[in-house]
Amino acid sequence: MKKHPFRTLLFRIITVVMIAAVVCCALYIMVHQIGLSPQLDFGAGAYYYADIPNYDKYIPSQSYPSSIPYWIYVLLFLAWGWIMYRLLAWIEQRNNSKKHNHHHDSNT
């Protein structure tokens, strides 16, 4: 199997740009305190609203009504997990077969 140096270089450039963009966005969010409640000061844990004691006092459950039963959300979550597992298993199987074919081709 022939290597494509342009594709490899392009992939590396895109990867570095994406990592830099994510870090810049995270720093921007932290510097401007986007998403924080000013009346709550929990330090670094302030972004994890589940850690806030009595969070329902600040975010009442009636604020997010849903016409779908809770078990459907659980079912969708499990289905998404299964789909991602199958996708990753397929990718791994495909990569292993490419390695096997490449190793087999180089021996002939």
Side-chain angles (χ1 to χ4, degrees), residues 19-39:
I19 290 171
V22 167
V23 169
C24 288
C25 287
L27 290 173
Y28 180 83
I29 289 170
M30 288 188 289
V31 166
H32 294 293
Q33 299 181 352
I34 298 172
L36 293 177
S37 298
Q39 70 269 23

Side-chain angles (χ1 to χ4, degrees), residues 4-46:
H4 298 286
F6 177 74
R7 283 186 181 176
T8 303
L9 178 64
L10 182 64
F11 180 73
R12 286 184 180 175
I13 290 171
I14 290 171
T15 301
V16 169
V17 168
M18 289 300 296
I19 290 171
V22 167
V23 169
C24 288
C25 287
L27 290 173
Y28 180 83
I29 289 170
M30 288 188 289
V31 166
H32 294 293
Q33 299 181 352
I34 298 172
L36 293 177
S37 298
Q39 70 269 23
L40 302 173
D41 184 17
F42 288 95

Side-chain angles (χ1 to χ4, degrees), residues 25-85:
C25 287
L27 290 173
Y28 180 83
I29 289 170
M30 288 188 289
V31 166
H32 294 293
Q33 299 181 352
I34 298 172
L36 293 177
S37 298
Q39 70 269 23
L40 302 173
D41 184 17
F42 288 95
Y47 283 102
Y48 300 100
Y49 292 114
D51 292 344
I52 299 173
N54 300 319
Y55 78 96
D56 54 341
K57 181 172 79 173
Y58 302 102
I59 305 171
S61 59
Q62 296 82 13
S63 298
Y64 304 102
S66 174
S67 59
I68 301 173
Y70 181 75
W71 66 268
I72 291 180
Y73 291 113
V74 173
L75 185 65
L76 289 172
F77 174 76
L78 294 173
W80 178 255
W82 181 81
I83 290 169
M84 292 300 103
Y85 170 77

